[in-house]
Amino acid sequence: MGEMDTLKKEADGLKTQIEAARKAVNDTTMAAVASGVAAAPRVQLKNRKTLKGHLAKIYGLHWSADNRHMVSASQDGKLLIWDTYTGNKVYAVPLKSSWVMSCSMAPSGNLVASGGLDNMCTIVNIKAASPKTLRELDAHEGYLSHSRFLSDTEILTASGDTTCCLWDLETGKQKVIYKSHVGDCMCLAVSPDQNSFISGACDSSAKLWDVRDGGCKQTFIGHTSDINAIAFFPSGTAVITGSDDCTLKMYDLRADQEVNGYQDAALNAGVTSVSLSSSGRLIFAGYDNFNCNIWDSLKAEKVGVLSGHDNRVSCIGVPDDGLGICTGSWDSFLKIWN
Amino acid sequence: MSSKMQSSNNIAHARRTVQQLRIEASIERIKVSKASADLMHYCGEHAKYDPLLMGIPASENPFKDKKPCTIL
């Protein structure tokens, strides 16, 4: 038997072993465990603000850690930084490439990052006298789909080249490369303790990584199409994924498997974005069908809907204080609800 | 790329795949019943501090437009 055949046999054996180990701890369903919990109240949120200013599809949004400012990115070639309490635009950052797919803000509020089909992650200092490009992180071999700052000196990126990367912003160089996905990486989320992060990809899997040593610790399967959105449950012990297969799933990290699924036979639109309320009880998911559905994370029931956009909801976010939810859409508007 | 290089790339990829699966096969797993109970407990403990779940009084809502009041 050649080496390839031996390796294939060993790989198949290990996959069977993993499946058996997961089955061995699968002693109940979350639906059964949560049957005794009181239903979440019917959630009726009102559109409190509509932020107007972008001239084309919005592809990304990210709240500041100050719970008040927010950055949004549009294919009109701009990043806008908003004061969401007043609805005013505080800064406008023109982009070299208008094919932007994501944006993020550093916890300090000093820096914003953006990137897309230019394969680069551009870091801008918005607190300088006029917004100033600090770094152009240029090593990915595919589009930049997502980014999240760990601090003013480190940022994580996810790329269509199937890798994720940790960059040193002081040198502009790659510090750690995370290789294991076999499809474009579409999204990432950082754990509350910042020691790990999860990525979702077009290979239909989500992977948990150690930030520092670059190792993939766990792989979560079950989706049947691209994973477009991913978020940590606030305890850090579970993750929620949203996919083009029109479903969301909750994977528990310690049980190493799917523990809940959120789907509706009537829904045949892909999930584009996901965010959770501060207790983790509510999951907000943006879909291709212009709506955002609100799910009870424990009972897997739909408990509300946010409608008002005239095109796909492409991005969504809840600030750290949990006081509201913002949706961003291809209709060029951002809406804040609570 | 020569076919020899290609086949050695395939073998290298297969070796990495096996290595990764070995790591994933070796982790400790807890029961789904315990995992679910812990997640439920977390939601329960934090529910009363979750503004989107509990509702926000108008006076504490930073996004609500404040209308001018007239004192009659």
Side-chain angles (χ1 to χ4, degrees):
Chain A
M1 206 187 281
E3 191 179 353
M4 268 309 276
D5 290 329
T6 317
L7 289 168
K8 176 141 186 17
K9 198 154 183 252
E10 191 175 353
D12 288 343
L14 287 163
K15 284 181 191 166
T16 306
Q17 198 182 313
I18 291 170
E19 203 184 314
R22 284 174 172 162
K23 210 164 174 205
V25 296
N26 193 357
D27 57 341
T28 186
T29 62
M30 186 181 279
V33 175
S35 59
V37 170
R42 182 95 200 143
V43 181
Q44 273 163 334
L45 304 182
K46 295 198 172 77
N47 175 200
R48 301 291 178 188
K49 289 232 151 39
T50 297
L51 305 178
K52 302 181 190 192
H54 281 301
L55 303 172
K57 294 175 175 171
I58 291 174
Y59 273 80
L61 72 86
H62 190 216
W63 284 92
S64 166
D66 73 5
N67 303 307
R68 176 171 182 154
H69 293 89
M70 187 172 66
V71 60
S72 59
S74 163
Q75 292 199 348
D76 61 7
K78 283 209 174 46
L79 293 185
L80 292 177
I81 289 102
W82 306 83
D83 174 344
T84 60
Y85 290 0
T86 60
N88 294 337
K89 296 173 253 315
V90 183
Y91 305 102
V93 180
L95 300 173
K96 252 162 120 176
S97 162
S98 62
W99 301 113
V100 66
M101 293 174 69
S102 80
C103 62
S104 56
M105 190 180 298
S108 65
N110 296 331
L111 306 176
V112 293
S114 66
L117 295 181
D118 58 356
N119 297 2
M120 286 198 315
C121 182
T122 303
I123 312 289
V124 173
N125 179 345
I126 53 171
K127 296 290 171 73
S130 64
K132 187 180 129 89
T133 298
L134 195 69
R135 289 265 169 242
E136 284 177 342
L137 307 175
D138 189 3
H140 275 303
E141 292 171 352
Y143 57 83
L144 198 92
S145 54
H146 212 82
S147 66
R148 279 296 178 260
F149 286 90
L150 294 180
S151 66
D152 277 7
T153 54
E154 286 183 319
I155 191 168
L156 282 164
T157 56
S159 170
D161 69 10
T162 77
T163 72
C164 295
C165 184
L166 177 70
W167 304 79
D168 179 335
L169 294 179
E170 285 169 331
T171 61
K173 298 271 182 285
Q174 295 174 298
K175 249 173 150 168
V176 185
I177 302 176
Y178 308 90
K179 278 190 189 176
S180 182
H181 278 298
V182 295
D184 302 11
C185 290
M186 297 303 293
C187 50
L188 71 90
V190 185
S191 67
D193 67 8
Q194 300 213 321
N195 292 330
S196 43
F197 75 95
I198 32 166
S199 59
C202 292
D203 60 13
S204 313
S205 77
K207 285 178 181 283
L208 179 73
W209 306 88
D210 181 309
V211 169
R212 298 296 148 199
D213 73 26
C216 169
K217 300 193 281 191
Q218 287 170 261
T219 300
F220 301 98
I221 56 175
H223 276 297
T224 53
S225 189
D226 304 354
I227 293 177
N228 298 317
I230 202 162
F232 265 96
F233 188 85
S235 64
T237 57
V239 310
I240 314 286
T241 51
S243 166
D244 269 350
D245 68 12
C246 310
T247 76
L248 297 125
K249 289 180 189 295
M250 179 190 283
Y251 296 97
D252 186 280
L253 302 183
R254 298 176 306 153
D256 186 44
Q257 59 191 278
E258 179 182 340
V259 294
N260 225 344
Y262 311 90
Q263 61 245 350
D264 188 325
L267 267 177
N268 61 353
V271 178
T272 61
S273 46
V274 72
S275 198
L276 275 69
S277 72
S278 63
S279 68
R281 185 67 192 263
L282 300 175
I283 299 173
F284 296 89
Y287 289 75
D288 285 344
N289 68 359
F290 310 179
N291 283 338
C292 170
N293 286 319
I294 310 175
W295 295 89
D296 177 334
S297 65
L298 301 179
K299 289 177 163 312
E301 293 162 351
K302 224 171 82 165
V303 295
V305 75
L306 302 176
S307 20
H309 283 294
D310 296 322
N311 205 325
R312 175 187 290 199
V313 173
S314 55
C315 48
I316 215 171
V318 172
D320 289 343
D321 65 3
L323 272 174
I325 168 128
C326 185
T327 50
S329 168
W330 280 8
D331 68 8
S332 81
F333 301 121
L334 298 141
K335 286 180 183 289
I336 301 187
W337 315 73
N338 68 14
Chain B
M1 192 186 286
S2 75
S3 77
K4 199 161 179 198
M5 237 181 102
Q6 187 149 45
S7 72
S8 70
N9 273 350
N10 287 343
I11 293 206
H13 177 78
R15 280 193 198 133
R16 280 195 300 271
T17 302
V18 166
Q19 196 140 329
Q20 179 59 38
L21 286 168
R22 281 190 194 140
I23 292 171
E24 293 181 17
S26 68
I27 65 164
E28 297 279 311
R29 293 171 181 81
I30 68 168
K31 289 202 192 314
V32 170
S33 53
K34 166 115 176 64
S36 303
D38 287 353
L39 290 168
M40 267 176 51
H41 182 75
Y42 187 94
C43 284
E45 288 288 294
H46 291 85
K48 51 185 172 299
Y49 308 116
D50 184 339
L52 292 172
L53 198 57
M54 299 281 103
I56 304 167
S59 54
E60 290 164 33
N61 189 345
F63 303 112
K64 192 165 162 47
D65 275 329
K66 288 165 181 47
K67 294 190 171 53
C69 294
T70 359
I71 316 279
L72 296 166

